[in-house]
Structures are given as structure tokens and as C-alpha cells.
Amino acid sequence: MLPSSLRRFTSARVGLGRVGTAQPSGAQLAFNAAHAAARDAVWSLLDTQALVAALPGPVLRVRSQARDRREYLLRPDLGRKLHPEDAAMLAGHAAPGSLVFLVADGLCATGVQAHAPALIRAVAPLLGLPLGPVVVAEQARVALGDAVGEALGAAAVAVLIGERPGLSATDSLGCYLTWAPRIGRTDAERNCISNIRPEGMPPAEAAPKLAWLVRAAMELGETGVALKDESPNVPLIAP
Amino acid sequence: MAFAHTLGGTRYVFDDLRALMARATPFRSGDALAGVAAASAAERVAAQYALADLPLRHFLHEAVLPYEADDVTRLILDSHDTAAFAPVAHLTVGGFRDWLLAEADTAALTALAPGLTPEMVAAVSKIMRISDLVQVSQKCRVITRFRNTIGLPGRLSIRLQPNHPTDDARGVAASVLDGLMMGAGDAVIGVNPATDNIETVQRLLSMLDEVRARFDIPTQCCVLSHVTTTLLAMERGSPVDLVFQSIGGTQGVNESFGVSLALLAEAHDAARAQKRGENVMYFETGQGSALSADAHHGVDQQTIEARAYAVARQYAPLLVNTVVGFIGPEYLFDGKQILRAGMEDHFCGKLLGLPMGVDVCYTNHAEADQDDMDTLLTCLGVAGVTYIMGIPGADDVMLAYQSTSFHDGLYARAALGKRPAPEFEAWMERVGIGATEAIPAALSPALIGLS
């Protein structure tokens, strides 16, 4: 039996064969192609116009204080802060008691562009509290949701953000739910659903999970480590 | 105490040891993010001059973090071996560099290790070039044992890292077999579980132990769960060879990892009580973790990393590795910064007496690629790195980053004339690995549930 027969058991790059000690040219080029796709995904930009058109309801647009991709990568602190002009703009759209969606590019815009509208449309009818404005953010980290949620007076914010691309997936979306968003909240005060994408957790499966978390957060009055995810388990589809 | 140096007519002043160490550090993005990097290239060299003039004894009198406030500082100073320090006690940092390069031999460095503090080692590394770091690292010898012997001269070991996105037993087993077929696994067969769920961890522990027993491999296994999870698994009777934990160089960063020195001691005692092997701990570290946890207190990330090694050596680990490029570009921006950090970490760990390996790696948002990893791997191999990682095709499908492949391990051994741990090498020969491309009968996939 050859090592290549191991390939059916895992998505890992097993049984590649070898030339001397090196990988055969085909395997090496396939790796390069996957890395190139991941690199391009990191530097991909949100097509905000198309995204706004695909999203339901009134959509607001904001920026973080990171001016470009390089600064965003080097200064995570700036990606968590709202541009001062946008903070003032949001104050004029207060939505007390609502759930606000922040749709953010994060480390990869591809998945946000592709999956965020479907997730929001699927979850909206399942929510137990009013839907606030959908906010689209550029050069954003997860904690930008705290500033946005606070400016809008939201009951909760759900940040839908592009996850760091790997070689096997460049369109993964993460969802971070924070109850009573305020600047200074920590990651321990959030609940997360990760790997949202058709081959991971499809948006149609993530939607009931998120709705369950929102209802649980309303009852508990908080999110984070105190809120254990006991939603009915939908098995991950094996890659 | 303040330090100063005049360079090109400008007098540069550094308020204390912490500032001096930070300003003297070769540039990296994490120190800039923390606001502790030198403001100019000239200031950096001025700090290096001032640091070179500093007597090594000074590090026993001024701590970068207060003794009262930080248990890692207390550990460092309380465990310092004055007698071992004596041969270099009269030297400055600059003089220490010269001594390391010109005079020190393996026996002297082995005897000196308990007399060195992490800050002394970090300081001298800041005025050393890559070639300096390579030459001194080569003279260090650290040998550890479990079911085989790691760190002997002329040997390069490999951790087989068979991760799977859903911890699927057959998926993990397939990667294990693929790695064994390419000579990986003599450092450890170590899985990062996708979740810290205790049942999953126990299932993986049993499965790895079974694979090891069925193939009769002279190596050790590890599931890299949190130390508290591993303690629970031991309590419940799971086969635990090594206890894993991520650690850092300040009390605060260790708290952010959910560990204390007392908890690590408890885990060490529990693992020793299993009576499965001699060195029972496996630690991972990496520059930037303290800043990431907001527990750096204005100390530069390389100095804090060296302090993590003082924590590690307290528990006589089998293996320690820095996961150098995993943390991301805000701490190490590109291939150049990752290269420098990897060589520093290996040097500092070895000088402090640790069995130091390096996860030669990068993420997709860092400015790095396979060429950068080949360069770091080659430099580390020449420096005598204890072990590296082995991952199918360099692509970790669970952690979504790139490390060294099984092929890279073959390359490093072939290019540098290195061999696996002797017990493992004899086993490879016995079962017929490398003789043909086909999987030998002794390693039949059916034996480990792959059919």
C-alpha cells in the first residue's frame, strides 16, 4: 500500500510523494496556489457598494482609525477604535434596545462579502429583539463593535468579521456576540461562532445558533464565559 | 538607575534597565506597538553600546519587573546559582559576548547555565549577529530522555504534529502514519486538539498510546490541552506521557494562560508519578504573548520571552519550543523579524540549559513565505536546534498556519548530516522505513484502524 492511500482519511496534505527529500513539483505548486489565494484574501477589500446593496434595511458605513491595510495589520489598537467623525454620525441613529449587526472586513473580506448578508437574512426572523441598523465597517477588529454598539445605544452587537485565512479556507466568517456593548469589554465577555462558510458551518446552520445565543443573553443579561453554548448541536460537516 | 551613551555628538539617556534593554533590541513590530522600541536607528546602537558596557552583576541588582510584584522575577533571582555564575561574574555584557565566542566550550556552558539569568542572556543576544548566535548555540548541549534520547550531538528530532480540524481519530492516524514514513516523530507525536473538551482529549490520548504500542515506537505522545485538562485526564486514568502547557515570562501572562508556578509544579509531580519517563514536561512559548495579554509592563518582547525559559527550566522539560511566527505581524512583521526572533529564542533557551526546539512558522497575514522558513530552518539546523515540527505538506489544517513539513525535516537532516534520535533511528531500520516507497507490513494501516 502506498502513502497516497492515506489521503481519503484527512484533508491534511498526506501522501504527497517525494523527489529526493523535496515535494514533487505538483504538490509544491498546489501549496503555492493556496498560499497565494490566502495572501490575496488578506489584502482583499470590501466591495462596500455591493455589500450595502445585499444587506437588508438601513445600512450605515463606518471606518476604524487604521488608515490602510498595513497600518491595520501593525496596529490592532487602531482597528478597535471608531473614526471620530463616524462616532458623531452614529449618535444621530440611536437604536436603543436593538441588536446591531456590525459587518466588518477583519483579516479577510472575502467571506464577509459572500456570507454575511445570507446570515443576517436567515437570523432576522428568529430574533427576540428589534433589529437595529446594519453597520458596515472597514479596517475593523472585533472590539470596534463595542464602540459602535455603545454609540447606537444597542442592547447587543453581533460582529460578523472575516477570519484569518488558512490554506484550505479563505472565506471563513466569525460571529462575535456582545451583550451591552461598551468600549473596554474583553473577549471573555463575548460568545463566538466561528468557521461560518458553506464547507464549515453554513449560514443556515449558524443562524439558529446565533438566535439561541441572543435569547440566552437576554435572559442572562450578559454574554461571555457565563453563557455556555448549549444550543442543539448541529454537527460540523467534515471537510 | 539611568544609563547613557553619546553617539555622533548626541547623548542618549535610558531611564532604567527595562528601557535600555528595549531600546537596544533589533527592530520588531511588537516593540513598536508597545511603544518601547528605539526612536531611531542611532538610538538603538547607542543603547547597544551602553548595554555592552554593563557588568553582568548588575542584572542581580536591578530587575526589569519588581521582585515584589512578579513571581517570575522572584523565581529568577531566588534560584540564581552564584557559584555557577563565578566564571563570568567579572565580565560586562560585551565581554560576555567575546567570552562566549572565543573561550567558552560545551563543558563550560553546561556548568554556567544555572548561573545565568534570562536578562543576561537576552542582553548579550541583543548585541549579537545571526552568525554569533549560531556559533554559540552550536556549543550548547542539552540532553533529555523519555522513551528515547533527545539532543545528542549530530541528531535532529522532529515533533510529528498530526492535527485534524475535528479531532477525527482516523484523520489523526493517517497523518501520524504519513509522518512516521518520513522519519518524523522522535521528539514527540503531539496533537493540538481542536477543543479542550476532556472527553475528546482522553479519546486522543488513548488513540495515540494505542498507535505507539501497536507499532512499538520508541517515542512519546502528547495531547496539547490546557494543563488542568491534562491533570484531569491523568486523574481519570488516561495514558499521559507528557504534560503540555503554554507559558510566558511574566506573572500576568501566565495568569492569562490560566496557570501559576504552583499549578505547573503540581502537574510536574503528577506526571512524574505516572512513572512512564524521566523528563515529563513540554512547554511552548513565543515572543509577543505578554503584550497580547497586556502583561508586558513596558519590557521588550524578547526579554520577556527569555524570562519564560526560566519558568520552563524549573520543571526539567523533555521539550521546549518557541512558536516563533504564529503570533502575527503586529509582533513580528515579516520574514526578517521572524528569522531574527527564532535564532534569538533558540540561543537564549540553549544558553539557559533548555532542550530548545523551534516551530519554524508563519501565518498568512505576515509578510513571509516558504523561502523565509527554509532560511530559518537552515540557520537553526546549523545552530544545532534540538527539534522542529513535522506537518503534512507544511499546512496545519486545524490551526490554519504553515510550519515545517515532513519533507523539510528530511531536507534538514540530509543537508546537515543529522540523524534522528538513536532509539528511533534503530526502530525505523527495524520496521523498514525508507527501504521502499510502500508502507511496510509492520506499519500496516489496518493495525491502527485505517482500512
Side-chain angles (χ1 to χ4, degrees):
Chain A
M1 190 184 271
L2 292 173
S4 54
S5 64
L6 298 171
R7 277 189 218 144
R8 64 196 156 105
F9 298 110
T10 175
S11 57
R13 292 170 197 255
V14 296
L16 298 181
R18 64 192 217 219
V19 287
T21 62
Q23 294 182 23
S25 301
Q28 189 146 304
L29 289 168
F31 179 98
N32 289 354
H35 184 233
R39 293 288 295 150
D40 287 345
V42 169
W43 293 85
S44 63
L45 295 172
L46 270 185
D47 180 348
T48 44
Q49 219 170 358
L51 185 60
V52 167
L55 288 167
V59 178
L60 306 171
R61 288 177 53 182
V62 300
R63 294 151 293 170
S64 77
Q65 291 183 15
R67 286 163 299 184
D68 54 35
R69 208 60 181 156
R70 188 183 162 88
E71 188 170 65
Y72 174 82
L73 290 175
L74 282 168
R75 293 287 306 271
D77 55 324
L78 295 181
R80 299 181 193 118
K81 290 179 185 150
L82 198 52
H83 196 284
E85 288 170 19
D86 295 335
M89 180 274 288
L90 287 178
H93 292 83
S98 68
L99 173 69
V100 165
F101 279 97
L102 180 71
V103 180
D105 47 7
L107 280 168
C108 169
T110 321
V112 184
Q113 197 89 38
H115 313 314
L119 177 57
I120 293 175
R121 286 179 188 280
V123 78
L126 310 176
L127 290 174
L129 77 178
L131 192 61
V134 177
V135 183
V136 171
E138 290 173 87
Q139 310 296 6
R141 301 265 172 185
V142 171
L144 188 73
D146 298 338
V148 168
E150 184 175 334
L152 290 169
V157 64
V159 179
L160 307 183
I161 190 164
E163 293 181 337
R164 194 183 77 202
L167 293 196
S168 47
T170 57
D171 65 337
S172 231
L173 185 68
C175 173
Y176 293 81
L177 181 69
T178 309
W179 188 259
R182 300 281 177 277
I183 292 170
R185 290 262 186 240
T186 68
D187 289 344
E189 296 173 290
R190 313 185 200 287
N191 289 88
C192 174
I193 305 171
S194 66
N195 197 29
I196 302 170
R197 61 190 174 99
E199 296 78 21
M201 174 172 289
E205 282 176 27
K209 207 171 188 47
L210 175 57
W212 186 93
L213 285 173
V214 171
R215 275 196 303 276
M218 284 171 71
E219 281 168 27
L220 196 63
E222 62 181 306
T223 43
V225 289
L227 200 177
K228 291 287 174 223
D229 180 2
E230 289 159 26
S231 62
N233 220 353
V234 189
L236 281 178
I237 293 173
Chain B
M1 171 176 167
F3 307 88
H5 186 82
T6 301
L7 187 68
T10 302
R11 183 177 154 83
Y12 296 91
V13 179
F14 309 98
D15 287 344
D16 54 16
L17 183 61
R18 190 177 58 161
L20 179 66
M21 297 277 276
R23 307 299 186 271
T25 307
F27 180 76
R28 63 208 62 197
S29 51
D31 289 341
L33 179 64
V36 302
S40 68
E43 187 191 17
R44 178 168 300 110
V45 178
Q48 290 172 346
Y49 268 110
L51 189 58
D53 283 344
L54 192 68
L56 285 180
R57 282 184 194 283
H58 185 87
F59 291 95
L60 301 175
H61 303 298
E62 184 180 358
V64 291
L65 279 176
Y67 184 90
E68 303 72 31
D70 189 278
D71 63 3
V72 178
T73 300
R74 291 196 288 278
L75 173 69
I76 291 166
L77 293 176
D78 294 349
S79 65
H80 182 252
D81 183 336
T82 314
F85 178 58
V88 297
H90 61 291
L91 297 174
T92 60
V93 171
F96 184 41
R97 173 183 175 273
D98 298 345
W99 181 85
L100 286 170
L101 285 161
E103 291 180 40
D105 61 16
T106 300
L109 290 177
T110 305
L112 177 63
L116 294 176
T117 67
E119 288 84 353
M120 294 175 190
V121 172
V124 75
S125 78
K126 292 177 195 294
I127 60 164
M128 293 170 82
R129 288 172 41 190
I130 297 276
S131 61
D132 299 342
L133 299 172
V134 167
Q135 291 186 76
V136 178
S137 299
Q138 275 185 335
K139 301 189 209 180
C140 296
R141 188 149 307 142
V142 182
I143 297 165
T144 56
R145 290 181 181 84
F146 199 87
R147 286 192 192 90
N148 57 22
T149 313
I150 293 169
L152 291 168
R155 308 283 171 168
L156 170 60
S157 292
I158 298 171
R159 167 188 162 192
L160 204 170
Q161 184 171 315
N163 295 345
H164 187 274
T166 58
D167 296 324
D168 178 73
R170 296 203 300 172
V172 171
S175 289
V176 170
L177 184 48
D178 196 49
L180 292 171
M181 286 287 295
M182 296 217 268
D186 54 334
V188 62
I189 300 176
V191 181
N192 299 89
T195 76
D196 217 65
N197 177 285
I198 177 69
E199 279 81 22
T200 304
V201 168
Q202 288 191 277
R203 182 169 58 76
L204 286 170
L205 281 166
S206 300
M207 176 260 168
L208 290 179
D209 197 55
E210 186 131 339
V211 170
R212 182 189 61 75
R214 290 273 169 92
F215 289 162
D216 194 23
I217 316 168
T219 193
Q220 35 286 336
C221 302
C222 186
V223 175
L224 285 74
S225 54
H226 191 266
V227 60
T228 51
T229 309
T230 309
L231 272 167
L232 189 57
M234 278 191 275
E235 247 176 69
R236 294 186 181 179
S238 287
V240 171
D241 289 345
L242 305 180
V243 174
F244 168 82
Q245 184 54 46
S246 292
I247 54 169
T250 71
Q251 183 174 338
V253 67
N254 285 324
E255 282 166 5
S256 83
F257 287 138
V259 298
S260 63
L261 301 178
L263 179 60
L264 295 175
E266 182 192 339
H268 176 254
D269 292 346
R272 289 279 297 177
Q274 308 286 310
K275 300 199 184 307
R276 294 169 75 90
E278 187 176 330
N279 300 107
V280 294
M281 301 300 281
Y282 174 12
F283 294 116
E284 281 189 346
T285 64
Q287 291 189 27
S289 60
L291 175 57
S292 171
D294 199 18
H296 63 292
H297 309 286
V299 181
D300 70 88
Q301 66 185 33
Q302 191 247 336
T303 298
I304 291 180
E305 172 69 7
R307 284 166 56 95
Y309 306 152
V311 175
R313 72 174 171 180
Q314 198 64 14
Y315 311 100
L318 181 78
L319 305 163
V320 180
N321 67 261
T322 169
V323 194
V324 65
F326 188 74
I327 191 151
E330 63 268 43
Y331 304 95
L332 295 168
F333 186 68
D334 56 14
K336 179 177 171 65
Q337 293 181 14
I338 293 171
L339 169 66
R340 171 84 206 177
M343 298 306 294
E344 290 166 349
D345 293 353
H346 175 253
F347 164 85
C348 290
K350 280 282 168 74
L351 217 50
L352 289 167
L354 290 178
M356 200 71 196
V358 177
D359 190 343
V360 175
C361 65
Y362 65 107
T363 58
N364 289 315
H365 61 320
E367 285 293 315
D369 61 18
Q370 294 299 98
D371 285 343
D372 297 306
M373 298 302 107
D374 291 348
T375 307
L376 175 55
L377 171 59
T378 305
C379 289
L380 283 167
V382 178
V385 69
T386 302
Y387 67 101
I388 56 170
M389 308 301 127
I391 294 176
D395 171 11
D396 189 310
V397 291
M398 198 281 283
L399 292 170
Y401 80 122
Q402 287 89 253
S403 180
T404 40
S405 65
F406 301 138
H407 297 79
D408 293 329
L410 292 175
Y411 149 74
R413 283 176 178 161
L416 301 165
K418 305 273 188 182
R419 295 152 59 193
E423 301 86 348
F424 192 87
E425 186 180 38
W427 171 81
M428 285 172 63
E429 198 159 319
R430 195 162 68 238
V431 297
I433 287 174
T436 63
E437 201 193 333
I439 299 171
L443 299 185
S444 166
L447 285 173
I448 56 169
L450 298 174
S451 52

